[in-house]
């Protein structure tokens, strides 16, 4: 069995249907230079801004963890309708311009072919590699979502200061083990910067000298505008420094310091601290492979957007979340009266459908993963507040 097929088998064990419909050579015939084009954009961006990898890692996580790796975070809100991009946790997310640039080049080469969801996963992988991280596998074939609900991000993205049992439960619900959670946080929090306003020294133990350095950077007028490096030594290099820093109480975010003293995750950090860097890189890469296929839309579901910041076939909604006419079942749409189509579509989407996807085992005793995400037939709720 060659390496590519082995990767797909392993991914299929974690998310059976979604991974099975993805492939390492999905664009071999339709857009053979797709990955090369994305890689070229990322290489240029990384030279201009070494912090690009941190931004894309966060963009990927916020997209995938809200409601699947479907590029719904990229959608712009309308004048009277919100989207994931406006959710509280996403206000400071960056990297949208990078995805748009890659999409523009891909559309010029292969129109209506490469999904925005695939671009996010490929761009993040390439940036992680250039930042010193692992070169993990990213099968392609994802489709873009038809709905962008602000509440998906508000409700599902864990905050930087929530208790460890709660954030662990959030990851387990998404199909990850506690160890995979620690790996993802360790890799993602080993690079980049954090705003001072998210740093709370009193919520968990912080080393005195480190606390003093934080105060110099964040006290006074800098509280709302200042930044602190996640890793004081190598803020733009992905490595295994997270474990030593968290155990030494020298991490700015509360959750990272809490991980080191929690009775379940503390031993995991100590165990990883004593392992070679190569072991962390391999394990982090496998966790990223699993993240990038989380509830991926595949097959004929969803769409391939022409522009990543808006859906194809736009249509207004009477609710605050962004929807599109293409999110309604075509058979239902065909049966609508032409003179009253928009009103009826809005009614269908608002009512929703009772065809929720059942959960499936994720290959471990303490975690379950949902079946592949299929955003169709207007089954997404709209906010009523």
């Amino acid at each position: 069995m060659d390496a590519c097929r082995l990767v797909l088998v392993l991914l299929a064990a974690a998310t059976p249907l979604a991974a099975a419909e993805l492939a390492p050579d999905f664009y071999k015939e339709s857009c053979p230079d797709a990955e090369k084009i994305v890689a070229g954009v990322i290489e240029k961006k990384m030279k201009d801004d070494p912090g690009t990898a941190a931004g894309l890692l966060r963009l990927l996580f916020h997209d995938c963890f809200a409601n699947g790796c479907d590029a719904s975070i990229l959608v712009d809100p309308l004048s009277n309708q919100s989207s994931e991009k406006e959710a509280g946790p996403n206000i400071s997310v960056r990297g949208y311009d990078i995805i748009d640039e890659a999409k523009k080049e891909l559309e010029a080469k292969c129109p209506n072919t490469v999904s925005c969801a695939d671009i996010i996963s490929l761009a993040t992988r390439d940036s992680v590699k250039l930042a010193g991280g692992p070169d993990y596998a990213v099968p392609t074939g994802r489709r873009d979502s038809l709905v962008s609900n602000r509440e998906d991000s508000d409700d599902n993205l864990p905050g930087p200061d929530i208790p460890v049992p709660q954030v662990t439960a959030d990851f387990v619900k998404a199909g990850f083990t506690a160890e995979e959670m620690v790996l993802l946080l360790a890799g993602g929090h080993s690079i980049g910067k954090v705003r001072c306003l998210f740093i709370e020294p009193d919520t968990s133990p912080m080393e005195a000298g480190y606390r003093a350095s934080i105060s110099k950077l964040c006290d006074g007028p800098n509280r709302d505008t200042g930044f602190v490096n996640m890793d004081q030594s190598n803020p733009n290099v992905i490595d295994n420094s997270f474990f030593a820093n968290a155990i030494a109480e020298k991490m700015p975010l509360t959750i990272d310091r809490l991980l080191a003293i929690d009775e379940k995750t503390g031993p995991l950090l100590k165990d990883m601290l004593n392992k070679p860097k190569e072991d962390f890189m391999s394990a982090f890469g496998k966790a990223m492979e699993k993240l990038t296929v989380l509830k991926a839309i595949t097959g004929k579901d969803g769409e391939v957007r022409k522009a990543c910041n808006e859906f194809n076939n736009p249509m207004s909604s009477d609710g605050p979340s962004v929807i599109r006419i293409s999110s309604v079942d075509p058979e239902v749409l065909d049966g609508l009266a032409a003179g009253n189509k928009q009103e009826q579509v809005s009614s269908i989407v608002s009512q929703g459908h009772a065809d929720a996807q059942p959960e499936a085992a994720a290959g471990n005793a303490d975690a379950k993963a949902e079946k592949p995400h299929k955003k169709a037939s207007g089954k997404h709720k709209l906010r009523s507040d």
Side-chain angles (χ1 to χ4, degrees):
M1 181 180 294
D2 58 47
C4 290
R5 287 185 58 83
L6 177 59
V7 166
L8 281 182
V9 169
L10 292 174
L11 289 174
T15 47
L17 298 180
E21 296 180 17
L22 300 175
D25 56 353
F26 186 84
Y27 296 112
K28 182 178 181 180
E29 301 296 333
S30 60
C31 192
D33 292 332
E35 295 196 27
K36 184 183 297 184
I37 291 172
V38 174
V41 170
I42 298 306
E43 184 175 1
K44 180 175 63 175
K45 291 295 182 181
M46 286 289 287
K47 289 180 180 179
D48 295 338
D49 178 12
T52 295
L56 288 176
L57 267 171
R58 187 162 181 245
L59 174 65
L60 173 75
F61 178 79
H62 280 229
D63 182 49
C64 294
F65 218 76
N67 206 18
C69 302
D70 57 11
S72 53
I73 193 174
L74 303 180
V75 177
D76 288 337
L78 302 181
S79 60
N80 64 338
Q81 298 169 17
S82 188
S83 68
E84 281 185 35
K85 189 177 284 189
E86 287 191 322
N90 295 334
I91 295 301
S92 59
V93 169
R94 63 190 182 95
Y96 301 113
D97 59 320
I98 300 173
I99 304 303
D100 287 342
E101 182 175 335
K103 178 64 171 177
K104 183 178 180 180
E105 292 194 20
L106 286 164
E107 285 297 301
K109 184 78 172 182
C110 316
N112 307 319
T113 302
V114 182
S115 71
C116 301
D118 274 343
I119 296 173
I120 293 176
S121 289
L122 290 170
T124 303
R125 187 270 312 275
D126 293 341
S127 69
V128 165
K129 179 182 177 182
L130 291 174
D135 183 15
Y136 56 89
V138 175
T140 46
R142 296 165 190 76
R143 303 271 288 179
D144 298 325
S145 72
L146 300 170
V147 178
S148 181
N149 288 329
R150 173 176 176 167
E151 63 267 28
D152 288 336
S153 293
D154 282 331
D155 296 344
N156 297 327
L157 289 174
D161 58 355
I162 66 174
V164 173
Q166 184 178 336
V167 71
T168 302
D170 289 341
F171 273 86
V172 168
K173 182 180 178 181
F176 295 90
T177 65
E179 182 175 359
E180 288 168 336
M181 173 192 73
V182 169
L183 288 165
L184 289 171
L185 292 176
H189 290 182
S190 68
I191 57 173
K193 301 179 180 181
V194 58
R195 289 180 179 271
C196 287
L197 60 89
F198 292 120
I199 302 175
E200 300 180 8
D202 295 328
T203 54
S204 63
M206 180 181 284
E207 194 269 336
Y210 181 73
R211 180 170 183 148
S213 67
I214 294 292
S215 296
K216 289 181 181 179
L217 294 170
C218 294
D219 283 355
N222 293 330
R223 176 64 180 168
D224 295 330
T225 59
F227 289 86
V228 171
N229 289 331
M230 295 295 289
D231 182 351
Q232 297 288 304
S233 301
N234 298 299
N236 296 317
V237 178
I238 295 176
D239 54 28
N240 60 346
S241 61
F242 172 90
F243 305 112
N245 290 336
I247 292 171
E249 303 172 354
K250 295 181 179 180
M251 291 295 293
L253 291 180
T254 298
I255 182 60
D256 296 332
R257 303 194 305 276
L258 288 175
L259 287 173
I261 60 177
D262 182 79
E263 62 179 8
K264 292 186 177 180
T265 57
L268 293 176
L269 269 68
K270 292 177 182 177
D271 179 59
M272 294 177 189
L273 174 65
N274 297 319
K275 290 183 177 180
K277 177 182 176 181
E278 292 74 19
D279 287 5
F280 163 70
M281 290 296 182
S282 176
F284 174 55
K286 288 183 173 63
M288 286 298 297
E289 289 174 7
K290 187 172 179 177
L291 175 63
T292 61
V293 301
L294 182 61
K295 293 191 289 186
I297 304 173
T298 58
K300 295 183 179 180
D301 294 310
E303 65 183 4
V304 175
R305 291 183 210 145
K306 297 176 183 178
C308 291
N309 66 332
E310 63 180 6
F311 297 102
N312 302 335
N313 304 316
M315 171 190 161
S316 298
S317 164
D318 58 359
S321 294
V322 175
I323 63 169
R324 301 296 172 187
I325 198 167
S326 53
S327 67
V328 180
D329 191 313
E331 293 181 3
V332 176
L333 189 61
D334 289 341
L336 299 180
N340 199 28
K341 183 175 291 185
Q342 179 167 321
E343 179 180 340
Q344 295 183 56
V345 170
S346 296
S347 175
I348 291 170
V349 177
S350 297
Q351 292 170 7
H353 289 240
D355 56 346
Q357 295 283 352
E359 292 185 340
N364 59 73
D366 62 346
K368 291 184 178 180
E370 294 184 38
K371 285 191 176 182
H373 199 45
K374 298 184 180 293
K375 295 182 179 175
S377 304
K379 64 184 179 183
H380 295 266
K381 65 179 182 179
L382 298 178
R383 290 177 65 92
S384 58
D385 55 347

